[in-house]
């Protein structure tokens, strides 16, 4: 699969590394061509200008800080429809670190803002809950990757990419559930800052399907 990555930081590089290892063709771009080259070299991807990253991809990952989301989508041509019809993975955390509070307006999800900024894209909220290092350690035990989105085929595509890096996809609903998934990130970060493993705070409830 041709995966385009918008952003050149820690998560972008880790996911590019994991998906390159799985045999995918990755292009990566950001506001700094130099940092795109560094990320590409570190991960086995190809650095490209942002409009080409968007145009040439089957699926796109949005991997920038929340404050850079609108700028990078604009630079990639998303408001003009460059991502229309494509799965757009949103792993961003619009969270005030240290207090775990969401920076988006009440009742609205970051992923819903992303969908407005990229008309026609099939936004899938996913991959926002685990540290980037998880995706470059394929020998680690599988983790459940909760995700949500409105387009069934986009969810299947992203689910398959999640499996490729050692995750088990779990679709929890449409994009109207994204806010809930984003609040979990605030919870996880707040617990980590409090000095405990967030996993220890989640009750072990058996699945009705026995999984
Ligand atoms: N790292 C993780 O473990 C992890 C895990 C889950 C989710 N996330 C989420 O993934 C996203 C990326 O995190 P990261 O850790 O990779 O961050 P990072 O290493 O700090 O990289 C941030 C990226 O955002 C870009 N950026 C920032 N402001 C921008 C702007 N105004 N316009 C265009 N680009 C801008 C940076 O570009 P420059 O290099 O040019 O500044 C860089 O490419 C965040 O939303 C984060 O919450 C991260």
């Amino acid at each position: 699969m041709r995966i385009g990555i918008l952003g050149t930081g820690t998560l972008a590089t880790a996911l590019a590394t994991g998906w390159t290892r799985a045999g995918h063709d990755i292009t990566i771009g950001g506001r700094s061509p130099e940092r795109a080259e560094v990320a590409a070299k570190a991960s086995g991807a190809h650095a490209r200008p942002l409009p080409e990253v968007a145009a040439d991809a089957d699926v796109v990952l949005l991997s920038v800080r929340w404050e850079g989301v609108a700028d990078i989508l604009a630079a990639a041509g998303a408001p003009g429809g460059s991502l229309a019809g494509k799965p757009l993975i949103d792993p961003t955390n619009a969270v005030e670190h240290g207090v775990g509070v969401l920076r988006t307006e009440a009742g609205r999800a970051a992923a819903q803002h992303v969908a407005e900024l990229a008309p026609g894209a099939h936004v899938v909220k996913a991959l926002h809950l685990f540290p980037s290092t998880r995706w470059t350690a394929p020998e680690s035990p599988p983790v459940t990757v909760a995700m949500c989105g409105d387009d069934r085929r986009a969810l299947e595509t992203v689910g398959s990419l999640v499996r490729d890096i050692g995750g088990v996809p779990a679709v929890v609903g449409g994009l109207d559930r994204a806010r809930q998934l984003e609040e979990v990130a605030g919870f996880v970060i707040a617990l980590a800052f409090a000095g405990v493993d967030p996993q220890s705070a989640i009750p072990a409830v058996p699945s009705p399907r026995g999984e």
Side-chain angles (χ1 to χ4, degrees):
M1 200 170 288
R2 295 174 307 165
I3 304 171
I5 299 185
L6 310 177
T8 57
T10 308
L11 184 65
T13 305
L15 286 170
T17 301
W19 283 326
T20 299
R21 284 181 188 157
H24 297 292
D25 180 13
I26 317 295
T27 57
I28 191 162
R31 61 180 171 178
S32 157
E34 293 77 21
R35 283 192 282 279
E37 286 291 350
V38 170
K41 198 170 174 195
S43 61
H46 313 282
R48 295 272 187 277
L50 285 164
E52 290 179 26
V53 171
D56 296 343
D58 303 311
V59 52
V60 173
L61 171 77
L62 174 63
S63 187
V64 295
R65 290 176 181 229
W66 177 241
E67 53 269 32
V69 162
D71 286 350
I72 204 152
L73 285 172
S82 67
L83 303 182
K86 301 184 186 201
L88 174 59
I89 308 169
D90 170 21
T92 63
N93 283 318
V95 171
E96 209 63 64
H97 284 232
V99 283
V101 172
L102 290 184
R103 295 165 64 193
T104 43
E105 65 190 86
R108 294 279 291 159
Q112 290 172 311
H113 286 292
V114 168
E116 285 168 8
L117 294 167
H122 301 308
V123 176
V124 175
K125 189 80 200 186
L127 295 169
H128 63 306
L129 288 178
F130 291 91
S132 61
T133 45
R134 176 61 191 77
W135 311 122
T136 51
E139 67 286 353
S140 309
V143 288
T144 301
V145 174
M147 60 172 68
C148 62
D150 292 334
D151 185 84
R152 185 183 53 80
R153 290 186 64 184
L155 286 166
E156 285 170 7
T157 300
V158 177
S160 136
L161 293 177
V162 163
R163 282 195 192 88
D164 287 343
I165 49 173
V168 179
V171 177
V172 299
L175 216 55
D176 55 358
R177 294 293 291 270
R179 171 90 187 182
Q180 189 179 40
L181 284 194
E182 291 169 4
E183 283 170 346
V184 176
F187 171 73
V188 166
I189 292 167
L191 283 173
F193 271 69
V196 298
D197 176 0
Q199 213 170 351
S200 67
I202 299 174
V205 181
S207 158
R209 291 193 291 164
E211 293 164 356

